[in-house]
Amino acid sequence: MTKYGNWEEIFAESMSRAGLAGWASGAGGASGVGGVQAVGRRGGFSEKGLRRLGRVLAGHVESGAVPGLVALVAHRGEVHVETAGTFEEGGAGAPMRRDTIFRMASATKPVTAAAVMILVEECLLRLDDPVDEWLPELADRRVLRSIDSALDDTVPAQRPITVRDLLTLTFGFGAVLAAPGTYPVQRAIAELGLGSDGTVPACGPDEWLRRLGTLPLMRQPGERWIYNTGSDVLGILVARVAGQSFGGFLQERVFAPLGMKDTGFHVPAEKIHRLPTSYAHDQETGKLAVWDEAAGGAYSSPPDFEVGGAGLASTVDDFHAFYRMLLNGGKSGDERILSRASVELMTMDHLTPAQKTEKDAFTEHFGTHGGFGFGMGVRTRRIDHAGVGQFGWDGGLGTTVQADPAAGLTGILLTQTAQDTQDVPRLAKDFWTATYSAIDD
């Protein structure tokens, strides 16, 4: 049976059941299983390193960890793409191609943050202003005394929610790392259909926000880092401030200028054959099970709610264009999407030490960045090959997208397999180790 929904809360729950700490979460020519494509000048990577990268990725497909994948690595002008596996489990379906479209899940978050910063630059929003004017549903908040409190056991919020709180995921509400139904607030979230029960919210964004506004916050605004929901709220904020749909704003201000022609909140009928089946793991057997089909699935038609935290579908080339813009200080060719100052704000750490501790506990299973900027992680200490300053985010449906300004490196790994067991996080870690090891400068 096909299931789909708010991945960030679903996988928080599934990882609690599995005993895991937490999670972070172009051109289109066929290249076949294990195919390689490269463009741009040579010299950024060693041939030996790229061969090893290809072997590492193919090994994870051959082991059955994922049915297929597409990976792109770019270093100071050189771009290299690897494909391996197929669209469906067991070697079935079409071979992966460079132009395969993937469900980006939480890798959507940095794009949402960029949209907000466009409005901040236009002085339509201010980082530390309350959001009450645009989001009255979130005004005059009450806050639970503790996470296990009854919904009416609350205290007043000490201050309003700000734009910065939403960007940094510190506005006081989000995913709970506990088995479903453990706490009253979790049960209320499920009863209101806010996405944590594995289904797409059966309502539009305004109704979703109205329902969210009936619940108390879990923590005081600005107090703690709590995953995911802030990015969903930001998509609604952008739409209301811009006076158009969130997807329409992204298309006009981000996707079209960057040439991101295959990115959106659904996959049109003429492209649906490029979308693989999405898999999750059965929590009892550990085997892959279909989570979302392509035709007739969650991404086959425009959604009622364009979710800013996890809703985009895209390709390696489209997301490379977005991250290349960030690495270039907000500019793509002659087109400026963001100011350099906005990119610097997005990619710097905004968390307190206490907030970083909570965030690291949530993302420990998948590797940690240490800090968090606007809609993305920011590495503040070196624990593996990746350098301090690396920024980006991963997605629970099997995606990882990061950029390293000091190394001049971008890496994008897209799979159709959820990060709800150790397999995909291990694949991601091996991808990053092999990618950094392949640099030859």
Side-chain angles (χ1 to χ4, degrees):
M1 180 178 178
T2 299
K3 294 174 64 182
Y4 42 83
N6 188 326
W7 277 92
E8 317 319 345
E9 296 180 0
I10 295 164
F11 279 100
E13 293 167 354
S14 70
M15 283 184 296
S16 176
R17 290 194 297 268
L20 302 177
W23 60 285
S25 159
S31 54
V33 178
V36 176
Q37 298 181 11
V39 297
R41 68 171 177 83
R42 305 293 294 175
F45 299 103
S46 70
E47 293 291 346
K48 178 181 178 181
L50 291 178
R51 288 194 298 270
R52 179 171 53 211
L53 173 63
R55 289 195 302 270
V56 166
L57 295 178
H60 282 274
V61 173
E62 292 163 5
S63 74
V66 296
L69 59 83
V70 180
L72 181 150
V73 292
H75 180 252
R76 305 199 191 286
E78 180 179 347
V79 180
H80 178 87
V81 174
E82 290 276 349
T83 66
T86 57
F87 273 37
E88 298 175 20
E89 185 186 12
M96 286 290 177
R97 297 162 44 108
R98 181 170 180 160
D99 68 349
T100 298
I101 298 171
F102 291 86
R103 302 156 183 86
M104 298 304 296
S106 275
T108 300
K109 287 176 169 63
V111 179
T112 297
V116 174
M117 293 309 294
I118 290 172
L119 296 175
V120 170
E121 289 186 358
E122 294 177 351
C123 298
L124 296 174
L125 288 172
R126 298 174 187 86
L127 291 176
D128 294 311
D129 275 2
V131 298
D132 299 6
E133 175 184 355
W134 299 104
L135 307 175
E137 298 93 336
L138 298 183
D140 302 320
R141 293 291 79 205
R142 303 287 299 182
V143 183
L144 292 173
R145 290 185 184 274
S146 66
I147 190 62
D148 57 354
S149 292
L151 296 183
D152 59 357
D153 184 14
T154 63
V155 297
Q158 294 170 358
R159 64 167 176 80
I161 296 165
T162 66
V163 176
R164 189 187 301 270
D165 294 332
L166 296 172
L167 284 165
T168 57
L169 303 187
T170 60
F171 88 103
F173 194 95
V176 179
L177 272 180
T182 300
Y183 302 121
V185 69
Q186 288 177 288
R187 296 192 288 272
I189 288 170
E191 290 167 3
L192 289 171
L194 295 177
S196 64
D197 61 349
T199 59
V200 172
C203 59
D206 292 339
E207 173 61 16
W208 180 87
L209 190 62
R210 186 197 68 77
R211 296 179 189 181
L212 179 65
T214 66
L215 297 179
L217 298 179
M218 300 171 184
R219 303 299 291 258
Q220 290 286 342
E223 181 184 12
R224 290 289 184 261
W225 189 89
I226 308 179
Y227 193 48
N228 188 61
T229 308
S231 293
D232 294 344
V233 175
L234 284 175
I236 301 172
L237 178 65
V238 169
R240 291 185 180 181
V241 174
Q244 62 185 124
S245 71
F246 181 41
F249 182 85
L250 288 177
Q251 176 62 32
E252 178 184 328
R253 304 299 297 275
V254 180
F255 301 155
L258 291 176
M260 297 172 67
K261 59 187 176 62
D262 291 320
T263 302
F265 287 102
H266 82 287
V267 180
E270 65 272 17
K271 298 181 181 181
I272 199 70
H273 65 284
R274 293 164 51 194
L275 181 71
T277 300
S278 179
Y279 294 92
H281 293 86
D282 185 287
Q283 293 298 310
E284 299 298 326
T285 67
K287 294 182 179 180
L288 289 178
V290 173
W291 182 266
D292 183 38
E293 301 279 5
Y299 288 79
S300 63
S301 59
D304 292 332
F305 185 4
E306 296 171 327
V307 180
L312 288 177
S314 190
T315 64
V316 290
D317 282 294
D318 277 12
F319 257 64
H320 180 217
F322 179 77
Y323 274 75
R324 186 171 54 208
M325 176 270 292
L326 294 179
L327 282 178
N328 198 36
K331 206 171 181 184
S332 177
D334 295 330
E335 189 82 33
R336 179 162 289 284
I337 309 300
L338 290 166
S339 69
R340 184 173 297 275
S342 287
V343 174
E344 290 170 351
L345 279 168
M346 289 176 64
T347 58
M348 67 183 287
D349 178 27
H350 293 270
L351 299 187
T352 66
Q355 290 167 344
K356 277 197 278 286
T357 297
E358 291 190 338
K359 178 197 157 292
D360 285 353
F362 196 75
T363 61
E364 179 182 2
H365 179 60
F366 295 85
T368 178
H369 298 85
F372 199 78
F374 291 167
M376 67 181 83
V378 181
R379 192 174 292 271
T380 55
R381 62 185 182 276
R382 187 157 194 171
I383 59 173
D384 49 31
H385 284 71
V388 171
Q390 184 198 57
F391 61 81
W393 203 240
D394 299 351
L397 290 175
T399 58
T400 177
V401 189
Q402 308 284 341
D404 187 330
L409 177 72
T410 301
I412 302 169
L413 172 65
L414 307 182
T415 82
Q416 78 271 53
T417 305
Q419 299 201 48
D420 54 351
T421 68
Q422 300 255 6
D423 287 347
V424 180
R426 285 172 175 163
L427 164 60
K429 291 175 183 177
D430 289 350
F431 166 70
W432 287 112
T433 298
T435 295
Y436 274 93
S437 300
I439 295 174
D440 185 20
D441 58 4

